[in-house]
Amino acid sequence: MSSHVVAPARIDSTTTVPALEVKGLVKDFHSGGLFSRASVRALGGVDLAIRKGEIVALVGESGSGKSTLARCVARLEKPTSGRILLNGTDVLKRDRFQASREYRSQLQMVFQDPFGSLNPVHRIEHFLTRSLTLHGKAGNPAQLCSRLDGLMTTVGLTPDMLNSYPHELSGGQRQRVAIARALAVEPEVILADEPTSMLDVSVRIGILNLMRQLRDQQGISMLYITHDLASARYLADRIAVMFAGELVEEGESLDLLANPAHPYTRLLVSAVPDPARTGSYDPHERAALRTAVMESASCAFDGDPEQQCSATEPVRHRVGEPANQHWVRCHLYRPPAAAASHALSAEPLEPKLQIATEEPSTAESRTEKQAST
Ligand SMILES: Nc1ncnc2c1ncn2[C@@H]1O[C@H](COP(=O)(O)OP(=O)(O)OP(=O)(O)O)[C@@H](O)[C@H]1O
Ligand SMILES: [Mg+2]
């Protein structure tokens, strides 16, 4: 694949089959030593779909299960249960060995540490040639040369850098090589696990722009894992928020950030510096909300045990217009019209422990049980 590859239109809304779909994905890790039967639930039944040519950002604090989700999807971890569909095909039903090479040619992962993912004893040419050869895309020597040059150009590097060793490149350049290696197999989906978090702020934007360009020009779908909501807003079409191994909110990026409906999302949003934010910002209130989030085994924002997620699993509520594909799973969510004086959208950037006090009327409630928008 080279820079001349022309892409399909960005998000392909003509097909109903997502490029990647995860259904009810559960992952339990064994914990507590050799003879222990204890386990820790890293993923508690995740449903997520990424359409062709779409970038979905997965955000959430450390330990919420973001990497576990990506590693399960990349088949680096075996899920405890659930389904993973690539273009509608259930990949877990296939034999692991048979599936692996074919699967990797469709789905690639880019990791956080660009240095750790490149063996320092090899030149850049080695990594790209190996990828092309393994997936049968090297062709004859002349074609190989042209593909190597094309890959370097696509990721914004010069072909003469093929002779360099990883330590001779900057962090940003190394991450570009890691992306070129992923592109060598012409994947349909890239899972990028915090690809910019170890890079200097000044080079992050370049990597984000490159990812954007790959989506726009080659129609590649991406799961972009990040702690950084600002970059998620910049890059992603949609944002999914993960809390304690579950997705609690998802929506079109700008809408979700402007109208965060889940207390946890509001906590994350409140931590993003925003010069345009109006109204008072109370650090004590934020600290209290943070403590409530961190101390609860599950999402227990409300004092009423009947309302806690551990007692009853919350259903999905649509937030706002259907076009925004925005939903939230929270017992405390009230549609704005039903709780005018406590409307979530009234002060979207100020977290409140007690969000709503009124019960919504049946007519006004827009509850959609487990409905995917
Ligand atoms: N191999 C493992 N064995 C046991 N527990 C694990 C393993 N990998 C992850 N976990 C646990 O699963 C949970 C989710 O971890 P994960 O790495 O997916 O979080 P994360 O959201 O990617 O965090 P970060 O933002 O820090 O990268 C954590 O509680 C973690 O301790
Ligand atoms: Mg992680």
Side-chain angles (χ1 to χ4, degrees):
M1 185 170 54
S2 61
S3 54
H4 66 265
V5 176
V6 180
R10 256 194 50 194
I11 298 175
D12 184 356
S13 53
T14 57
T15 166
T16 49
V17 180
L20 176 70
E21 198 171 6
V22 164
K23 290 186 174 180
L25 205 70
V26 173
K27 176 64 186 174
D28 294 332
F29 285 110
H30 177 257
S31 67
L34 202 56
F35 301 106
S36 164
R37 287 189 181 175
S39 65
V40 52
R41 177 148 291 190
L43 297 177
V46 173
D47 296 312
L48 181 69
I50 306 177
R51 283 175 293 175
K52 295 183 199 308
E54 184 180 40
I55 299 181
V56 174
L58 183 61
V59 304
E61 290 193 331
S62 193
S64 55
K66 306 180 297 296
S67 296
T68 303
L69 176 63
R71 290 177 64 80
C72 284
V73 172
R75 302 195 71 184
L76 300 172
E77 297 282 359
K78 191 167 185 267
T80 306
S81 61
R83 298 170 72 203
I84 298 168
L85 302 143
L86 195 66
N87 288 321
T89 305
D90 192 335
V91 299
L92 296 176
K93 280 195 176 151
R94 296 199 205 163
D95 173 76
R96 195 176 172 90
F97 176 76
Q98 267 212 327
S100 60
R101 187 158 304 169
E102 191 188 334
Y103 192 50
R104 304 237 175 285
S105 72
Q106 292 174 285
L107 182 142
Q108 285 279 307
M109 197 158 169
V110 174
F111 296 93
Q112 182 178 21
D113 178 4
F115 198 77
S117 63
L118 300 175
N119 189 334
V121 304
H122 295 299
R123 294 178 197 270
I124 303 310
E125 182 178 357
H126 168 87
F127 304 112
L128 303 188
T129 303
R130 190 176 143 79
S131 244
L132 287 166
T133 309
L134 272 177
H135 292 272
K137 306 209 186 276
N140 62 35
Q143 287 169 328
L144 174 62
C145 254
S146 134
R147 280 177 192 153
L148 290 172
D149 289 0
L151 280 170
M152 293 297 274
T153 313
T154 300
V155 298
L157 297 174
T158 52
D160 60 287
M161 286 179 175
L162 285 165
N163 289 321
S164 306
Y165 287 96
H167 73 267
E168 294 172 321
L169 304 182
S170 71
Q173 289 169 331
R174 283 195 293 263
Q175 196 59 296
R176 285 173 189 270
V177 171
I179 292 172
R181 182 172 56 179
L183 290 177
V185 309
E186 299 176 24
E188 292 169 44
V189 178
I190 290 181
L191 310 174
D193 191 353
E194 302 195 48
T196 61
S197 63
M198 290 182 73
L199 303 179
D200 192 84
V201 176
S202 60
V203 297
R204 283 182 193 174
I205 190 78
I207 298 294
L208 295 179
N209 285 338
L210 170 60
M211 292 169 68
R212 219 179 193 180
Q213 181 191 323
L214 295 174
R215 172 196 63 188
D216 293 347
Q217 295 183 358
Q218 301 188 15
I220 296 177
S221 312
M222 292 189 208
L223 181 67
Y224 170 56
I225 296 176
T226 183
H227 285 262
D228 178 15
L229 279 182
S231 71
R233 174 168 52 191
Y234 181 74
L235 183 65
D237 302 292
R238 282 188 298 130
I239 295 177
V241 181
M242 187 167 247
F243 173 65
E246 313 236 353
L247 290 188
V248 294
E249 187 165 2
E250 189 184 313
E252 191 273 323
S253 301
L254 296 180
D255 187 67
L256 182 137
L257 293 174
N259 306 295
H262 195 283
Y264 181 62
T265 315
R266 294 162 71 127
L267 177 70
L268 295 177
V269 171
S270 73
V272 179
D274 181 0
R277 185 179 302 162
T278 55
S280 61
Y281 169 70
D282 184 350
H284 300 294
E285 191 175 33
R286 183 167 189 278
L289 181 55
R290 188 181 169 79
T291 307
V293 172
M294 293 307 147
E295 286 183 353
S296 57
S298 69
C299 181
F301 287 95
D302 194 62
D304 179 359
E306 293 290 309
Q307 292 276 289
Q308 292 183 358
C309 300
S310 50
T312 334
E313 200 175 307
V315 294
R316 289 186 183 193
H317 300 265
R318 189 172 68 212
V319 181
E321 296 304 313
N324 295 328
Q325 308 168 71
H326 188 170
W327 60 261
V328 63
R329 283 177 67 216
C330 180
H331 287 306
L332 299 173
Y333 178 69
R334 303 289 181 269
S341 57
H342 302 279
L344 288 171
S345 57
E347 297 172 284
L349 296 174
E350 289 192 340
K352 294 263 186 287
L353 274 172
Q354 200 67 32
I355 299 170
T357 55
E358 296 173 10
E359 283 297 320
S361 71
T362 315
E364 287 164 326
S365 173
R366 283 186 267 168
T367 302
E368 295 180 333
K369 189 168 184 183
Q370 298 296 328
S372 173
T373 51

